[in-house]
Amino acid sequence: MASNHSQKVEAIADHADADNDSSHVNAKSIVLSNEAKVEQANAHSLINPKKEITFTVGTNDIAEAAHQIADQKAAAAKAAEEQAAAEQAAAEQAAAEQAAAEKAQQEAQQAAQNAAAASAASAASASSSAATTASTETTTNKGTFKLSFYDPSVLGSGLGYGGVADNLSVFPKGTRLKITLSDGTVWYRTVNDTGSFAAGNPNQLDVAMPNSQIPSAGVLSATVEVVG
């Protein structure tokens, strides 16, 4: 079927000058050629329909870059959060360690104070006990005695310096004596020896003492008490 265009061309050719047959023939040829081209084009369009252009959202470079930036920001935020948590944990641990150290120091100071207080209390108790013992100590005054001195080591004796020699009929061996000098000095001695002088001097005590400590006066007098 001829198009409107070819119909118009044919009409023009029909109205052409009757004497001009060549023009009419040329017009007819053009119409036929055009019709053939149109039919060919229609057939081609039926065989090869036009493809529609489609776009896939989010696969272009701009969208991809936006996704990468968003991922980087999320990673940075997560790293910052983890670092903040680590710093907070470290600060809490440091605070706990400092508190523990302060507590240990306070406990050590308290222990030292308690030990000092216990030592002071023990010393006070010992002093009180000694004072009580002294106050409850019973003695029997035996009067005034002369005191002479000797060094047992010079005489070859191994009895030491804690005893005295006397007339054993007055103070038997083992008797503990409290000897008070005129200046208030007090000695405690135990009878552990006797001597040839004792027979004629029953009111004299021979006190054991190193030669370097023997009083220069040589003979003294003292009040003698029996302890016990």
Side-chain angles (χ1 to χ4, degrees):
M1 182 177 181
S3 66
N4 291 333
H5 176 73
S6 61
Q7 289 177 353
K8 288 179 180 181
V9 172
E10 188 175 357
I12 293 171
D14 289 340
H15 286 83
D17 189 355
D19 295 334
N20 193 356
D21 292 334
S22 62
S23 296
H24 183 74
V25 172
N26 290 335
K28 285 281 188 178
S29 298
I30 293 172
V31 169
L32 293 175
S33 178
N34 288 337
E35 288 178 353
K37 291 180 178 180
V38 169
E39 291 297 333
Q40 184 179 2
N42 290 335
H44 180 75
S45 63
L46 291 174
I47 296 172
N48 297 307
K50 294 181 179 179
K51 295 182 179 180
E52 294 182 358
I53 299 174
T54 58
F55 297 91
T56 303
V57 179
T59 60
N60 56 72
D61 293 341
I62 296 176
E64 185 66 23
H67 284 307
Q68 292 179 359
I69 292 173
D71 291 343
Q72 291 174 358
K73 288 183 178 179
K78 183 177 180 181
E81 183 179 355
E82 291 177 351
Q83 182 177 359
E87 291 177 352
Q88 182 177 359
E92 290 176 353
Q93 183 178 0
E97 291 176 353
Q98 182 177 0
E102 292 177 353
K103 182 179 180 180
Q105 184 178 5
Q106 291 175 355
E107 290 177 350
Q109 291 177 349
Q110 186 63 43
Q113 292 175 356
N114 292 342
S119 178
S122 178
S125 177
S127 177
S128 175
S129 177
T132 302
T133 301
S135 64
T136 58
E137 181 182 71
T138 59
T139 61
T140 302
N141 193 331
K142 294 298 182 177
T144 301
F145 283 71
K146 289 183 179 180
L147 301 181
S148 57
F149 302 91
Y150 76 105
D151 189 336
S153 63
V154 174
L155 301 177
S157 172
L159 295 177
Y161 299 104
V164 296
D166 80 321
N167 187 323
L168 297 181
S169 63
V170 179
F171 300 121
K173 283 186 178 182
T175 303
R176 190 163 182 256
L177 303 178
K178 178 181 179 181
I179 303 169
T180 305
L181 304 181
S182 59
D183 63 359
T185 301
V186 176
W187 294 330
Y188 286 91
R189 293 287 192 276
T190 301
V191 177
N192 63 355
D193 199 0
T194 187
S196 58
F197 71 91
N201 300 286
N203 294 326
Q204 183 174 344
L205 300 177
D206 208 5
V207 181
M209 187 171 290
N211 280 336
S212 60
Q213 298 178 15
I214 293 175
S216 58
V219 177
L220 301 177
S221 62
T223 302
V224 177
E225 300 170 81
V226 175
V227 179

